Amino acid sequence: MNVLFYYSAESSDGARLRQVVEKIVPAASLERFSSLAELDGRLRRPSPGPHLAVIMAADEMELSLVTSMSDLLAYLPLILIVPNQEEDILELAHLLRPRYLSFTDGDFKDVSAVLGRILNHKH
């Protein structure tokens, strides 16, 4: 399973998440994106095999941009990490119907566990 991974490079939380993801996902299966435009372009190119998306939105504006790609993300299992639990953020996050929702203030052990389960699930 290929993992499409986006986080804001300027974010220290993103760097922490990157370490977690890279420990679990083999390098050959990980596609990193440094901008939402790159991710959008990749989602528009069909490719074989199952995919999973891990997306960290640094703030409400970035999350809003991610929600504009909801039709492209609709059929992918999505692990979404958002900056806080404010009502506006949660409303936007739930529009994407993530498989799992987490927050940047944690240690990402929950994200690691969920990602590991999805990747190891036998069909």
Side-chain angles (χ1 to χ4, degrees), residues 57-64 67 80-96 101-103:
D59 53 33
E60 187 173 355
M61 187 165 103
E62 193 168 59
L63 181 57
S64 180
T67 60
L80 181 63
I81 300 96
V82 296
N84 58 55
Q85 297 183 40
E86 292 178 8
E87 188 174 336
D88 293 347
I89 295 287
L90 293 177
E91 284 178 12
L92 283 173
H94 284 290
L95 290 174
L96 293 165
L101 179 63
S102 188
F103 306 93

Side-chain angles (χ1 to χ4, degrees), residues 19-26 111-113 115-117 119-120:
Q19 290 177 341
V20 168
V21 170
E22 288 178 348
K23 283 182 184 176
I24 296 170
V25 181
V111 173
S112 175
L115 182 57
R117 281 191 208 119
L119 292 175
N120 293 319

